[in-house]
Amino acid sequence: EVTVNYKHGLPVITLMLPTRSERCQFTVKPVVTTVGAFLQDVQREDKGIERAEVFATDGSKVSDETLMEVLLMNDFKLVINNTAYSVSPPVKDKLSSEHATEMEDIKSLVHRLFVALHLEDHQIRKERELLQKLDHLKGELLPLEQMKAKIMDSADAKTSRLLWVGLALMSTQGGALAWLTWWVYSWDIMEPVTYFITYGSAMAFYAYFVLTKQDYIYPHAKDRQFLHYFYRKSKKQRFNVERYNKLKDDLAEAEESLRRLRQPLHLRLPIQEISDKD
């Protein structure tokens, strides 16, 4: 027989240990003790217990994460090895509304203390997981960063060469127009030529706007040409830009989580004001 009694406000479960053939009492803390923790205590007390489970009266298994406070509200079955015990917890007297409110406040305070005491272990475990994730992401990013640096150097060199070629062509055009104007022909002949060259340049700039939906601004045009060379080189070198960006986002997210985790507790958790009740 398994009995449940209350001593000093705490439930005491008395049961027979199968190997030692003696009755043993287990005092549980219903607010923080789970069914799984209670069953582990029973198995630690008697090493001969190979199976310890709790079932509801309808035959459904009770989860190990269920609090003992919830379990002791109704009848249940305790199975030890191959023996099933029907347990009927005593009905607790109904508390007055004021006393019930005080008990709820005490339970809430005990729960917050329990969380605070185990917060450091959780923080250390979470920090270790984040550090391992950071090392893994940095290991994957290292070869991609090296490949990206080479591709960027190549794209930047080609863009610079293109700018210098443009300057050389403009200088050549200006010199040719000046030579034709003062040494070969007169300004009356070259004026229509320069007009159509200017009009053609305006058409080229407008075509650039139609194709790119952007004004022809030299820094923007340079960046656009740089990206063109970069993606073309990346495709040739089989550099996965999407995977690189995904790894960079994951790395930034992990670093931000680690930074928040290492902040002082009062900066991460909202301040809970506890007022004394009369």
Side-chain angles (χ1 to χ4, degrees):
E1 182 182 5
V2 178
T3 60
V4 180
N5 297 311
Y6 283 87
K7 292 183 180 180
H8 306 290
L10 294 177
V12 179
I13 302 176
T14 306
L15 53 87
M16 180 69 70
L17 299 177
T19 304
R20 295 161 53 178
S21 298
E22 61 182 10
R23 296 181 65 77
C24 184
Q25 294 182 347
F26 296 89
T27 302
V28 298
K29 300 175 182 178
V31 179
V32 296
T33 304
T34 61
V35 173
F38 166 68
L39 296 177
Q40 289 178 1
D41 292 341
V42 173
Q43 289 179 314
R44 279 196 296 266
E45 190 67 27
D46 190 344
K47 302 299 182 181
I49 299 178
E50 298 179 356
R51 178 193 177 196
E53 295 177 319
V54 175
F55 295 88
T57 54
D58 59 356
S60 59
K61 188 178 183 300
V62 178
S63 172
D64 291 341
E65 299 299 325
T66 304
L67 292 175
M68 291 297 295
E69 182 182 25
V70 178
L71 178 67
L72 296 175
M73 291 181 180
N74 302 296
D75 296 347
F76 61 91
K77 291 183 180 181
L78 176 62
V79 178
I80 298 179
N81 291 340
N82 296 324
T83 305
Y85 301 93
S86 297
V87 184
S88 298
V91 180
K92 299 179 65 175
D93 297 333
K94 292 185 178 180
L95 303 175
S96 62
S97 59
E98 183 178 355
H99 193 190
T101 303
E102 293 178 357
M103 289 299 297
E104 290 297 327
D105 294 340
I106 293 174
K107 291 178 181 179
S108 177
L109 179 60
V110 171
H111 179 71
R112 290 201 298 270
L113 289 174
F114 177 79
V115 172
L117 290 175
H118 291 77
L119 184 61
E120 185 177 358
D121 295 337
H122 172 74
Q123 181 174 349
I124 294 175
R125 183 171 62 254
K126 189 66 176 178
E127 183 175 353
R128 188 183 300 112
E129 292 176 357
L130 288 174
L131 289 175
Q132 292 176 354
K133 183 177 180 181
L134 285 174
D135 292 339
H136 178 70
L137 291 174
K138 290 179 179 179
E140 291 187 356
L141 275 172
L142 181 59
L144 295 179
E145 290 283 4
Q146 296 174 350
M147 185 180 296
K148 178 193 171 186
K150 294 180 180 179
I151 295 175
M152 289 185 66
D153 291 341
S154 176
D156 186 67
K158 287 184 177 181
T159 305
S160 299
R161 284 198 298 269
L162 181 63
L163 294 177
W164 283 107
V165 168
L167 178 62
L169 290 176
M170 292 179 67
S171 301
T172 303
Q173 183 187 47
L177 291 175
W179 178 70
L180 291 173
T181 301
W182 284 301
W183 280 275
V184 179
Y185 305 108
S186 64
W187 175 248
D188 294 337
I189 298 176
M190 293 303 300
E191 185 178 6
V193 176
T194 57
Y195 170 78
F196 283 109
I197 290 176
T198 304
Y199 185 77
S201 301
M203 289 182 61
F205 294 151
Y206 184 74
Y208 178 87
F209 172 77
V210 171
L211 295 175
T212 64
K213 303 298 186 295
Q214 293 179 352
D215 293 334
Y216 188 81
I217 302 175
Y218 290 119
H220 295 174
K222 175 181 177 296
D223 294 339
R224 186 178 185 87
Q225 193 63 37
F226 172 82
L227 291 176
H228 172 71
Y229 286 138
F230 178 82
Y231 279 99
R232 189 171 68 177
K233 189 71 172 180
S234 299
K235 186 176 181 180
K236 186 180 298 184
Q237 296 290 335
R238 296 182 180 179
F239 176 76
N240 194 335
V241 179
E242 294 182 356
R243 180 170 177 268
Y244 173 81
N245 292 333
K246 178 66 168 54
L247 291 175
K248 292 290 287 186
D249 292 340
D250 293 343
L251 181 64
E253 182 180 356
E255 290 178 345
E256 178 64 18
S257 300
L258 184 61
R259 184 187 66 81
R260 290 180 175 273
L261 187 65
R262 288 176 172 176
Q263 284 182 351
L265 184 62
H266 66 278
L267 296 179
R268 290 187 287 115
L269 297 179
I271 300 176
Q272 298 181 352
E273 296 181 357
I274 303 176
S275 59
D276 296 333
K277 295 186 177 181
D278 297 335

